[in-house]
Amino acid sequence: MTDLSGKVALITGAGQGVGQGIAFALAGAGASVVLAGRTLEKVQKSADDIIKRGGKAMALACNVKAADDLAQAVDATVKEFGGLDILVNNAQEVPLGTLDKVTDAAFTAGFESGPLATMRLMKLAHPHMKARGGGTIFNFASSAGIRWDMSGYGAYGAVKQAIRSLTRAAAAEWGPDNIRVLTIAPHAESPGLKGWFEANPEEAAAFFRTIPLGRIGRLEEDIGRAIVALCGTDLSYLTGATIPLDGGQANFD
């Protein structure tokens, strides 16, 4: 596996699910990791698990909708580990429902926790990555943004598609600084996806039938280790792309 010794990573929404799996994988590859999340107890437990495995980790309470929290998270990361090389913008509140049912508050929360938080953290990370000669940023999208039938997914798809645009812009603007920016669109065994399966059993059954590999991704092994590989030198010419880690389901062409 790619050796990330000496690298420093900040992961939002790292107390469970995809964020936790990525944090475990990055730490397993040798990176020092900062796990940020709204509930300190959750991210602290994840950080403790990494330390028990022999890794380096720190937990931070962070509400990604709060600009001050984001600035403090980056400052604390740099203070603790000396810099920042990898940013994983995973945390996101999801505004699901038909357009007439999605409230302004839910849509605003989706925007603030998604594209706005993503842009804020990228801007905060940029000078630190530039000072270290480059870095890798991962933003998160969803195949919900490219469904042929957007019923019930319009608000969610809108905030996720906005993130893809920000990825393309950051990749273009910061490429000269050797900062690569990628969008990841995963299907993984997260609490959120499991909850959706339970609430929508018929749609979930149809969903499974459209995954060529026939399964949902494992958090650390399938999603986390893919992130590790994308941080390595073998893929250093890849930037600005949307990468679906979804068993072949979505077509982002």
Side-chain angles (χ1 to χ4, degrees):
M1 190 164 63
T2 300
D3 183 5
L4 298 179
S5 299
K7 301 295 185 182
V8 179
L10 170 61
I11 307 104
T12 66
Q16 63 182 13
V18 171
Q20 183 189 67
I22 292 172
F24 285 170
L26 288 170
S32 300
V33 298
V34 176
L35 300 89
R38 282 185 300 185
T39 306
L40 181 59
E41 290 78 7
K42 282 187 177 181
V43 286
Q44 187 62 62
K45 184 180 183 305
S46 296
D48 290 344
D49 288 342
I50 288 171
I51 292 169
K52 288 175 184 176
R53 295 182 179 192
K56 297 178 181 179
M58 178 175 71
L60 293 175
C62 177
N63 178 357
V64 296
K65 294 188 292 183
D68 288 347
D69 280 15
L70 299 179
Q72 290 168 11
V74 172
D75 288 346
T77 298
V78 173
K79 181 178 180 180
E80 179 71 15
F81 293 119
L84 179 59
D85 305 286
I86 300 162
L87 172 63
V88 181
N89 280 311
N90 167 65
Q92 168 80 68
E93 292 185 28
V94 178
L96 287 177
T98 55
L99 296 179
D100 59 340
K101 298 291 177 60
V102 174
T103 64
D104 284 2
F107 185 76
T108 299
F111 180 83
E112 290 179 340
S113 64
L116 184 56
T118 293
M119 184 173 72
R120 283 171 167 167
L121 266 177
M122 287 197 297
K123 290 165 66 176
L124 289 164
H126 173 257
H128 299 290
M129 291 183 173
K130 183 177 180 180
R132 285 164 74 89
T136 312
I137 297 173
F138 297 96
N139 300 326
F140 280 70
S142 169
S143 59
I146 58 169
R147 290 170 60 98
W148 70 269
D149 177 5
M150 292 294 293
S151 301
Y153 297 92
Y156 179 43
V159 298
K160 286 302 189 181
Q161 289 295 81
I163 290 173
R164 294 181 69 201
S165 296
L166 292 171
T167 292
R168 292 289 299 172
E173 293 171 10
W174 299 341
D177 299 324
N178 196 33
I179 296 172
R180 298 185 298 119
V181 190
L182 297 163
T183 299
I184 305 300
H187 289 330
E189 298 169 337
S190 66
L193 190 60
K194 289 179 179 178
W196 179 80
F197 286 162
E198 293 170 1
N200 304 275
E202 293 183 6
E203 189 173 357
F207 177 89
F208 268 108
R209 289 194 294 270
T210 65
I211 301 176
L213 290 184
R215 64 179 179 84
I216 300 297
R218 296 164 296 180
L219 297 170
E220 181 176 355
E221 294 86 348
D222 291 321
I223 311 303
R225 290 183 184 170
I227 295 293
V228 169
L230 289 164
C231 290
T233 56
D234 288 345
L235 293 168
S236 62
Y237 197 51
L238 179 63
T239 192
T242 296
I243 301 170
L245 299 175
D246 62 0
Q249 183 196 50
N251 182 2
F252 281 89
D253 292 345

